[in-house]
Amino acid sequence: MKIKITYIFHNCFVLDVGKLSIVFDIPAQRFRMSRARSALEEAVCGRDVVIFFSHSHLDHFAPDYMDVCGGANSVKAVLSDDIEEMYPDIFFENALVVEPDQKYVFENLKIETLMSNDLGVAFMIETVEGVKIYNGGDLACWDWESSSEADQKFTRDFFDKAADRIAGFGSHIVFSNVDRRLESLAGGPFLIEAVKPQFFIPTHALGRTEWLEGVHERLGIESHKCFSYRRAGDVASFDILLSGA
């Protein structure tokens, strides 16, 4: 099945699957340069959109998301419950509020959540066509050298268990944080080895994307299976082989 992906900024991407556009973690205005907003508006224009927000940090959540996606044909949202708690004055219309380690069905999407080791949740999503997508939000292997050995072990064990669930889900497409400040790249290579996705999208670059050129080699994945974007609006198209197809 043909899939199209558009990079917007940081952890924000638009994934076109059939007639649906799945959008992840639109950031707040302070993180959106005009180019990023324009790329997002163009990507969702006239589309039926479901936005997934992993948590309330402003590099992942835009309180004005309905305005930003105003050109879409329809807009629904899936939000981690910490967002509802953080923004009690916002009326989340056409939205599903989710908790960690639960299962839901929303807009013909099957959704499983994982507890993050940062804030909020990670998502495992299955579309009506059978495309399986993992988006980690800020769930990653944050094994900072400055942390104690006990904390590093806890982090790695937590991420190992999450990787087992993601692998068991059978994710075709994986979005996961890849942080150059960490020798482990925040667990990107480990997750790829465990899950063996058909396509991998490194996230959490905060706009510093130059270093992603050639990052597939450090991740241990072929270049055509890794989205090495550079600027807002960069697009990749790829085919996903579905079981039984």
Side-chain angles (χ1 to χ4, degrees), residues 56-215:
S56 59
H57 290 161
L58 290 177
D59 57 331
H60 292 258
F61 175 68
D64 62 344
Y65 69 89
M66 290 296 293
D67 292 336
V68 178
C69 296
N73 181 55
S74 66
V75 179
K76 309 290 195 307
V78 180
L79 309 106
S80 176
D81 60 352
D82 66 287
I83 295 173
E84 187 179 49
E85 294 170 5
M86 184 68 69
Y87 295 92
D89 295 333
I90 297 179
F91 173 63
F92 294 108
E93 185 178 3
N94 297 320
L96 171 69
V97 177
V98 300
E99 298 179 357
D101 299 318
Q102 299 295 322
K103 295 182 179 181
Y104 306 87
V105 177
F106 182 70
E107 294 299 306
N108 292 321
L109 298 171
K110 297 178 182 177
I111 303 164
E112 294 185 43
T113 59
L114 291 76
M115 179 177 287
S116 176
N117 55 351
D118 186 291
L119 183 65
V121 300
F123 295 106
M124 297 188 296
I125 305 156
E126 183 175 357
T127 72
V128 69
E129 299 88 354
V131 178
K132 295 184 177 182
I133 305 151
Y134 167 74
N135 187 291
D138 267 355
L139 170 58
C141 187
W142 301 117
D143 52 351
W144 302 102
E145 289 185 5
S146 57
S147 300
S148 68
E149 289 186 14
D151 284 345
Q152 289 186 36
K153 183 179 186 304
F154 177 85
T155 295
R156 290 164 184 159
D157 288 348
F158 188 100
F159 193 69
D160 286 355
K161 292 176 182 176
D164 285 344
R165 284 190 61 186
I166 301 159
F169 178 66
S171 305
H172 301 109
I173 303 167
V174 167
F175 295 79
S176 191
N177 291 352
V178 174
D179 196 309
R180 60 180 173 170
R181 296 171 294 175
L182 292 163
E183 185 177 350
S184 66
L185 294 179
F190 177 83
L191 189 61
I192 288 170
E193 177 62 27
V195 179
K196 296 178 174 56
Q198 294 184 34
F199 201 74
F200 181 83
I201 301 93
T203 66
H204 213 259
L206 264 176
R208 302 181 185 95
T209 56
E210 298 88 349
W211 81 281
L212 291 173
E213 184 175 355
V215 74

Side-chain angles (χ1 to χ4, degrees), residues 4 13-24 26 40-52 66 69-77 94 106-109 127-129:
K4 175 184 172 184
F13 297 81
V14 181
L15 191 68
D16 291 345
V17 183
K19 297 180 179 180
L20 183 67
S21 289
I22 299 173
V23 184
F24 294 105
I26 300 171
L40 178 58
E41 289 174 340
E42 180 179 346
V44 303
C45 183
R47 300 280 295 178
D48 292 320
V49 171
V50 178
I51 309 169
F52 285 79
M66 290 296 293
C69 296
N73 181 55
S74 66
V75 179
K76 309 290 195 307
N94 297 320
F106 182 70
E107 294 299 306
N108 292 321
L109 298 171
T127 72
V128 69
E129 299 88 354

